[in-house]
Amino acid sequence: MRFGRRLLLYLSAAGASCALQRNGQLSEVQYLPSEEEGWESFNALLKAHPDTAVAIAVDSVDELYRGEILPRAWGRDRAEMAQRRLRQVVHQSPYRAALRQGHERNAATRGDRYLIMGLSNPEQIRPWLDIMHLRGSPLAGIWLLPALSANLVRRFHLRDPRLLLVSEQTGGLRLTYLESGELRFSRLAPVDGSQHENPLEGYAEEIERTRQALVGQRLITREEKIKVVLIDPLNTLNELHGFLLEAAGFQCISINRSRLQEALKLPHALLTESADALYLSLLSRAPASANLSTAEQRANSRAFWLRRGLLFAAAAWLTLSVAGVLLLLGDTWRLGVQSNALQAQAMADRARETELLAAAGGVSQIRRRLAAVAAWNAVRPRDRQPAALLDAALAAGDSIGGIQLTRLTWRNNDNSEATSLSIEGDLPAFSGDYRAAHARIAALALRLGEKLPNYRVAVAAWPLNAQSGEELEGAIGGGGIDAHFQLRVSAKP
Amino acid sequence: MNLLPAPLRLPAIGFAAALVLGSGVFYLALDARMASKTRQLAAQTAADLAARDLRQTPQRLAQDRAQSATHAHLRAAGFLGEEDRLDWLSNLARLRDSLDLQQVSWRLAPRAASPLSPGLYSSAMVIAIAPGDARRLEQFLEQLRVHAHGHFTVRDCTLLPDSGGRSTSCTLDWWTWNGQ
């Protein structure tokens, strides 16, 4: 699929026009004759633009418009109801659509307003569709020409409640009635130049005839004025104003070629030869709900787009992957070059280092020597002796009468730079006088503190814990009484 | 494949193949790039180390010269290389005689790597001497340090004074450095 490309085909009984739309711009506008010659040209066009979707606008007298008010519904119910009504109204053709046109507020006829439209003679487009089928070209949609008019009205900000658009087409004079910007009725009037000396007189007659038809359909009243908008891309309808008098109920304005080109941003040469190019340009923005395609055609189109989408996604993914892979491989190569440069630099530095250290025995010898000394420095802080602390503790114990030291434990602490000492002792001649015993132990702690000024001496356990919260029990007489104690000596912080 | 209509089968297969192929090739390229990044980081680290070592070469030479005496002392003291357990234990017997000890008992644990420094090892020796007062313990440790071909530190000591004499047990750590 050529994304951003579309072939636009305008069909009428007198022939066809075709254009290529590329990124929103029309080009290659050409007239195709009717019957075989036109079909051959169309076939050649499809051959020249394979896999390009084709949108078709049909300008035919075999058309049907009918306004309907249907009960309000949503989603699938609405679609089924509209399809059912379409089958009833446009039973003779598969090309039909229900254009939803807002909500009807009248209490008596409450519901949604629809314009049911259809192409009553499908044979008109069949040869063209057959050629597309043979060429495998996807169908973007089929629209009746008047369905494109609402977009034109919006472009020119025509806000009048009743508008009659009049344009000269290949197939005749197209008269389209819109109410508040919504399509209500349209007809294609064949133009017979032989009846009038001035063909515009015939146009004026057709406009009057159309007004009568609108009155007949109760779309307007006989007295109501109607605004006639002459769509005039060829600048040939100016004199028609003279035939549409205000006294006769017409208010007439023209939109000529220059205004059309300006508003629709069309190339200058596009509208000089054919008015069909105007509607071809509007075809690119045709409302989806006015598409007359059959369900089968829509399904085929959907499958086509899905197929193309999958192929596009696959191609995009592969492209992205290849781009990513190329970027990664490029980065891999860059990193490899960097690694090689760094390795070369490291080798050069090592060689220089070896050269400088060769006289001292080489790199490894120096490393070993330095590491050995570093290890030695790590061990050296642990080089402490226990004798001084033990000696001081024993001497203090000997200096206080009635105390026997039973266990002295010296520790060379790993996690600090100091040593500690735990002293356990007993009072062998203890008679039960706890006060005197505690005084002796306190004296021992004091003496020890004097001998070891850099250490803190604390009594960890007394012979008796005299705290009021403790439960005490004992017996005096009938045996010896234990009076154990413990001191802790640790370095001052 | 009946889940998909016929016209969509080939594009769907193509899409899946593109997804797998694209992802696979991308993954391989990503893997190669990550390996290359790892190599580059390793090379960067090696280059930084080499540059740092080269920068520090004069300091290292000066430090090595300054520490040469220490290193010689370590070699002489038996700190470097393998343990000389025979010498350590032989010295225990000699000290028993020279210090007039009744008994010296010992237990030496297997050598273990120390977390203090790479290449540093220690062997724990539990030693008990009797009689073992503080002064005798000091002499014992001092003479062991002087005569033994090795370096030790004292981890802990327990002195048990009683009326019949005193006994002492200590845990020594014998240190050796055998780094490569």
Side-chain angles (χ1 to χ4, degrees), chain A residues 297-315:
Chain A
Q297 284 169 335
R298 286 172 197 237
N300 286 340
S301 179
R302 216 170 14 249
F304 179 86
W305 285 106
L306 200 54
R307 192 158 56 92
R308 293 294 168 177
L310 281 170
L311 290 176
F312 175 77

mmCIF file of all heavy atoms in Angstrom, chain A residues 297-315:
data_model
loop_
_atom_site.group_PDB
_atom_site.id
_atom_site.type_symbol
_atom_site.label_atom_id
_atom_site.label_comp_id
_atom_site.label_asym_id
_atom_site.label_seq_id
_atom_site.Cartn_x
_atom_site.Cartn_y
_atom_site.Cartn_z
ATOM 1 N N GLN A 297 -17.757 -5.411 0.998
ATOM 2 C CA GLN A 297 -16.697 -4.516 0.522
ATOM 3 C C GLN A 297 -15.932 -3.896 1.689
ATOM 4 O O GLN A 297 -14.713 -3.758 1.654
ATOM 5 C CB GLN A 297 -17.305 -3.407 -0.342
ATOM 6 C CG GLN A 297 -17.677 -3.884 -1.732
ATOM 7 C CD GLN A 297 -18.522 -2.871 -2.484
ATOM 8 O OE1 GLN A 297 -19.206 -2.054 -1.875
ATOM 9 N NE2 GLN A 297 -18.500 -2.953 -3.803
ATOM 10 N N ARG A 298 -16.690 -3.551 2.733
ATOM 11 C CA ARG A 298 -16.031 -2.970 3.907
ATOM 12 C C ARG A 298 -15.108 -3.994 4.562
ATOM 13 O O ARG A 298 -13.999 -3.665 5.004
ATOM 14 C CB ARG A 298 -17.061 -2.495 4.927
ATOM 15 C CG ARG A 298 -17.754 -1.224 4.502
ATOM 16 C CD ARG A 298 -18.891 -0.915 5.449
ATOM 17 N NE ARG A 298 -19.806 0.030 4.865
ATOM 18 C CZ ARG A 298 -20.137 1.191 5.410
ATOM 19 N NH1 ARG A 298 -19.637 1.528 6.563
ATOM 20 N NH2 ARG A 298 -20.983 1.987 4.816
ATOM 21 N N ALA A 299 -15.619 -5.254 4.639
ATOM 22 C CA ALA A 299 -14.796 -6.299 5.246
ATOM 23 C C ALA A 299 -13.528 -6.517 4.424
ATOM 24 O O ALA A 299 -12.429 -6.669 4.984
ATOM 25 C CB ALA A 299 -15.600 -7.598 5.350
ATOM 26 N N ASN A 300 -13.686 -6.520 3.093
ATOM 27 C CA ASN A 300 -12.512 -6.690 2.234
ATOM 28 C C ASN A 300 -11.533 -5.539 2.414
ATOM 29 O O ASN A 300 -10.319 -5.742 2.483
ATOM 30 C CB ASN A 300 -12.940 -6.753 0.762
ATOM 31 C CG ASN A 300 -13.585 -8.086 0.430
ATOM 32 O OD1 ASN A 300 -13.391 -9.068 1.156
ATOM 33 N ND2 ASN A 300 -14.365 -8.126 -0.631
ATOM 34 N N SER A 301 -12.109 -4.347 2.497
ATOM 35 C CA SER A 301 -11.257 -3.175 2.672
ATOM 36 C C SER A 301 -10.517 -3.251 4.009
ATOM 37 O O SER A 301 -9.328 -2.966 4.103
ATOM 38 C CB SER A 301 -12.129 -1.925 2.616
ATOM 39 O OG SER A 301 -11.345 -0.796 2.807
ATOM 40 N N ARG A 302 -11.305 -3.689 5.059
ATOM 41 C CA ARG A 302 -10.693 -3.810 6.392
ATOM 42 C C ARG A 302 -9.561 -4.838 6.367
ATOM 43 O O ARG A 302 -8.484 -4.603 6.919
ATOM 44 C CB ARG A 302 -11.777 -4.217 7.391
ATOM 45 C CG ARG A 302 -11.578 -3.573 8.729
ATOM 46 C CD ARG A 302 -12.714 -3.725 9.696
ATOM 47 N NE ARG A 302 -13.733 -4.690 9.400
ATOM 48 C CZ ARG A 302 -14.974 -4.394 9.060
ATOM 49 N NH1 ARG A 302 -15.337 -3.129 8.946
ATOM 50 N NH2 ARG A 302 -15.865 -5.334 8.823
ATOM 51 N N ALA A 303 -9.833 -5.976 5.708
ATOM 52 C CA ALA A 303 -8.814 -7.027 5.625
ATOM 53 C C ALA A 303 -7.590 -6.517 4.865
ATOM 54 O O ALA A 303 -6.445 -6.795 5.236
ATOM 55 C CB ALA A 303 -9.385 -8.261 4.928
ATOM 56 N N PHE A 304 -7.866 -5.758 3.816
ATOM 57 C CA PHE A 304 -6.764 -5.213 3.028
ATOM 58 C C PHE A 304 -5.884 -4.305 3.886
ATOM 59 O O PHE A 304 -4.666 -4.422 3.911
ATOM 60 C CB PHE A 304 -7.335 -4.428 1.840
ATOM 61 C CG PHE A 304 -6.281 -3.812 0.975
ATOM 62 C CD1 PHE A 304 -5.697 -4.521 -0.053
ATOM 63 C CD2 PHE A 304 -5.854 -2.515 1.214
ATOM 64 C CE1 PHE A 304 -4.712 -3.943 -0.830
ATOM 65 C CE2 PHE A 304 -4.868 -1.938 0.434
ATOM 66 C CZ PHE A 304 -4.298 -2.656 -0.590
ATOM 67 N N TRP A 305 -6.585 -3.407 4.612
ATOM 68 C CA TRP A 305 -5.827 -2.473 5.448
ATOM 69 C C TRP A 305 -5.087 -3.198 6.562
ATOM 70 O O TRP A 305 -3.957 -2.840 6.902
ATOM 71 C CB TRP A 305 -6.761 -1.413 6.042
ATOM 72 C CG TRP A 305 -7.163 -0.397 5.036
ATOM 73 C CD1 TRP A 305 -8.371 -0.269 4.436
ATOM 74 C CD2 TRP A 305 -6.329 0.624 4.469
ATOM 75 N NE1 TRP A 305 -8.375 0.760 3.543
ATOM 76 C CE2 TRP A 305 -7.114 1.339 3.530
ATOM 77 C CE3 TRP A 305 -5.014 0.999 4.645
ATOM 78 C CZ2 TRP A 305 -6.621 2.393 2.797
ATOM 79 C CZ3 TRP A 305 -4.522 2.059 3.915
ATOM 80 C CH2 TRP A 305 -5.319 2.743 3.004
ATOM 81 N N LEU A 306 -5.763 -4.230 7.113
ATOM 82 C CA LEU A 306 -5.123 -4.995 8.185
ATOM 83 C C LEU A 306 -3.870 -5.701 7.654
ATOM 84 O O LEU A 306 -2.817 -5.730 8.304
ATOM 85 C CB LEU A 306 -6.129 -6.022 8.720
ATOM 86 C CG LEU A 306 -5.858 -6.573 10.110
ATOM 87 C CD1 LEU A 306 -5.711 -5.451 11.123
ATOM 88 C CD2 LEU A 306 -6.982 -7.506 10.542
ATOM 89 N N ARG A 307 -4.029 -6.268 6.432
ATOM 90 C CA ARG A 307 -2.900 -6.961 5.806
ATOM 91 C C ARG A 307 -1.747 -5.977 5.593
ATOM 92 O O ARG A 307 -0.600 -6.257 5.938
ATOM 93 C CB ARG A 307 -3.368 -7.541 4.468
ATOM 94 C CG ARG A 307 -2.413 -8.512 3.829
ATOM 95 C CD ARG A 307 -3.171 -9.411 2.858
ATOM 96 N NE ARG A 307 -3.893 -8.648 1.849
ATOM 97 C CZ ARG A 307 -3.396 -8.317 0.655
ATOM 98 N NH1 ARG A 307 -2.177 -8.680 0.338
ATOM 99 N NH2 ARG A 307 -4.107 -7.656 -0.216
ATOM 100 N N ARG A 308 -2.111 -4.823 5.063
ATOM 101 C CA ARG A 308 -1.082 -3.825 4.804
ATOM 102 C C ARG A 308 -0.480 -3.310 6.111
ATOM 103 O O ARG A 308 0.717 -3.053 6.205
ATOM 104 C CB ARG A 308 -1.673 -2.643 4.021
ATOM 105 C CG ARG A 308 -2.085 -3.018 2.634
ATOM 106 C CD ARG A 308 -0.867 -3.398 1.820
ATOM 107 N NE ARG A 308 -1.233 -4.037 0.571
ATOM 108 C CZ ARG A 308 -0.362 -4.418 -0.341
ATOM 109 N NH1 ARG A 308 0.926 -4.258 -0.122
ATOM 110 N NH2 ARG A 308 -0.760 -4.971 -1.446
ATOM 111 N N GLY A 309 -1.349 -3.186 7.128
ATOM 112 C CA GLY A 309 -0.874 -2.728 8.430
ATOM 113 C C GLY A 309 0.126 -3.700 9.031
ATOM 114 O O GLY A 309 1.170 -3.305 9.564
ATOM 115 N N LEU A 310 -0.215 -5.001 8.901
ATOM 116 C CA LEU A 310 0.689 -6.020 9.429
ATOM 117 C C LEU A 310 2.028 -5.986 8.696
ATOM 118 O O LEU A 310 3.096 -6.067 9.313
ATOM 119 C CB LEU A 310 0.057 -7.409 9.282
ATOM 120 C CG LEU A 310 -0.998 -7.781 10.325
ATOM 121 C CD1 LEU A 310 -1.703 -9.063 9.931
ATOM 122 C CD2 LEU A 310 -0.345 -7.950 11.698
ATOM 123 N N LEU A 311 1.940 -5.876 7.365
ATOM 124 C CA LEU A 311 3.189 -5.834 6.587
ATOM 125 C C LEU A 311 3.993 -4.582 6.914
ATOM 126 O O LEU A 311 5.220 -4.629 7.038
ATOM 127 C CB LEU A 311 2.870 -5.891 5.082
ATOM 128 C CG LEU A 311 2.345 -7.241 4.592
ATOM 129 C CD1 LEU A 311 1.964 -7.164 3.120
ATOM 130 C CD2 LEU A 311 3.391 -8.342 4.795
ATOM 131 N N PHE A 312 3.246 -3.485 7.076
ATOM 132 C CA PHE A 312 3.941 -2.232 7.418
ATOM 133 C C PHE A 312 4.592 -2.347 8.802
ATOM 134 O O PHE A 312 5.749 -1.946 8.994
ATOM 135 C CB PHE A 312 2.946 -1.072 7.413
ATOM 136 C CG PHE A 312 3.554 0.227 7.862
ATOM 137 C CD1 PHE A 312 4.358 0.960 7.002
ATOM 138 C CD2 PHE A 312 3.345 0.711 9.148
ATOM 139 C CE1 PHE A 312 4.935 2.152 7.412
ATOM 140 C CE2 PHE A 312 3.925 1.893 9.568
ATOM 141 C CZ PHE A 312 4.710 2.616 8.694
ATOM 142 N N ALA A 313 3.811 -2.927 9.761
ATOM 143 C CA ALA A 313 4.352 -3.072 11.119
ATOM 144 C C ALA A 313 5.585 -3.976 11.097
ATOM 145 O O ALA A 313 6.587 -3.697 11.773
ATOM 146 C CB ALA A 313 3.288 -3.644 12.048
ATOM 147 N N ALA A 314 5.495 -5.069 10.285
ATOM 148 C CA ALA A 314 6.642 -5.979 10.197
ATOM 149 C C ALA A 314 7.852 -5.248 9.618
ATOM 150 O O ALA A 314 8.973 -5.357 10.139
ATOM 151 C CB ALA A 314 6.274 -7.178 9.326
ATOM 152 N N ALA A 315 7.597 -4.494 8.549
ATOM 153 C CA ALA A 315 8.705 -3.766 7.913
ATOM 154 C C ALA A 315 9.267 -2.716 8.872
ATOM 155 O O ALA A 315 10.490 -2.553 8.983
ATOM 156 C CB ALA A 315 8.216 -3.104 6.632
#
